[in-house]
Amino acid sequence: MKNWKLPLIISAVVIAVVMLCVFSFQGVQNKAISLEEQINTAQSEIKVQEKRRADLIPNLVDCVQTYDEHEYQTLMDVVNARGSSSDESVQEIQTMIQAVAEAYPELKSNENYRELMNELATTENLIANYRSNFNKWVKSYNQYVRKFPNRQILGMLGYEIIGYEYLDYNVSSDAPTNLFE
């Protein structure tokens, strides 16, 4: 009776050790895959915000400039009309001022500029936050890949450290510059 129990116990221990190794290897690989996906997501979020900046900011600048031109033209019409000296011109001026006062009770350009500056600051802050998040995930991944025994296991599976710069002060080619030229 003892003869068949010993091989069965040895077989069970060998199978348990093999299964433990397989699950350990797979667990390490699954964690590395999860970290890679976080890095890809963070990188995608950066691109989305850069696209938002490239699409939104030029449109806001155009809107502010168009409104400035409209406001300037309206004011110039009022000033030019005031410069006329005939009684008929005075009546026209009063009518024009009343129309302007009704349609444009106060000048809005400064608010448009303020809104544009807020959007610029918000957009740049979002991009900075997403870049920081990307750096955080790359750092976590690199730490995980370099730890023992992960380094040996992931090295056999082809995982490598990801290179990146902690701080990137280079302005990207689509960053807004000289907005009001």
Side-chain angles (χ1 to χ4, degrees), residues 12-28 149 153:
V13 168
V14 168
I15 290 173
V17 168
V18 168
M19 293 299 286
L20 180 65
C21 289
V22 167
F23 284 121
S24 295
F25 274 57
Q26 193 59 47
V28 168
I153 295 169

Side-chain angles (χ1 to χ4, degrees), residues 57 71 73 77 94 98 105 120 122 128 135 167-168 176-177:
I57 300 306
E71 196 169 86
Q73 190 59 48
D77 290 345
Q94 289 176 342
Q98 188 176 5
L120 280 171
T122 300
N135 288 345
L167 296 174
D168 184 7
T177 57

Side-chain angles (χ1 to χ4, degrees), residues 11-177:
S11 298
V13 168
V14 168
I15 290 173
V17 168
V18 168
M19 293 299 286
L20 180 65
C21 289
V22 167
F23 284 121
S24 295
F25 274 57
Q26 193 59 47
V28 168
Q29 185 180 20
N30 287 345
K31 174 79 175 191
I33 289 169
S34 175
L35 289 170
E36 281 181 331
E37 288 304 313
Q38 291 295 339
I39 290 169
N40 291 338
T41 300
Q43 197 168 32
S44 175
E45 288 171 342
I46 292 169
K47 290 180 190 220
V48 165
Q49 291 305 315
E50 287 176 342
K51 173 93 170 89
R52 177 183 180 271
R53 175 177 62 191
D55 292 344
L56 177 67
I57 300 306
N59 289 332
L60 283 175
V61 169
D62 288 345
C63 180
V64 168
Q65 286 176 335
T66 301
Y67 190 84
D68 271 357
E69 290 168 12
H70 170 73
E71 196 169 86
Y72 173 78
Q73 190 59 48
T74 302
L75 291 175
M76 289 309 295
D77 290 345
V78 170
V79 168
N80 289 336
R82 285 182 183 166
S84 303
S85 61
S86 70
D87 289 334
E88 192 175 299
S89 294
V90 172
Q91 186 64 30
E92 284 180 32
I93 293 171
Q94 289 176 342
T95 305
M96 190 179 258
I97 291 174
Q98 188 176 5
V100 168
E102 289 174 4
Y104 303 98
E106 61 184 68
L107 301 180
K108 302 285 185 185
S109 287
N110 63 333
E111 293 175 20
N112 291 341
Y113 280 102
R114 192 174 301 125
E115 181 63 29
L116 174 61
M117 292 299 123
N118 285 340
E119 278 298 327
L120 280 171
T122 300
T123 300
E124 293 304 319
N125 287 339
L126 284 171
I127 290 172
N129 287 339
Y130 284 120
R131 285 180 179 160
S132 176
N133 187 44
F134 171 79
N135 288 345
K136 179 187 81 166
W137 284 112
V138 170
K139 182 179 177 182
S140 294
Y141 172 83
N142 286 344
Q143 287 173 344
Y144 185 77
V145 168
R146 291 188 344 231
K147 288 181 183 177
F148 179 83
N150 302 348
R151 179 178 57 227
Q152 288 72 22
I153 295 169
L154 295 173
M156 289 186 296
L157 298 173
Y159 288 85
E160 298 177 354
I161 293 173
I162 297 174
Y164 71 106
E165 296 178 19
Y166 281 99
L167 296 174
D168 184 7
Y169 291 107
N170 297 328
V171 177
S172 66
S173 61
D174 61 348
T177 57

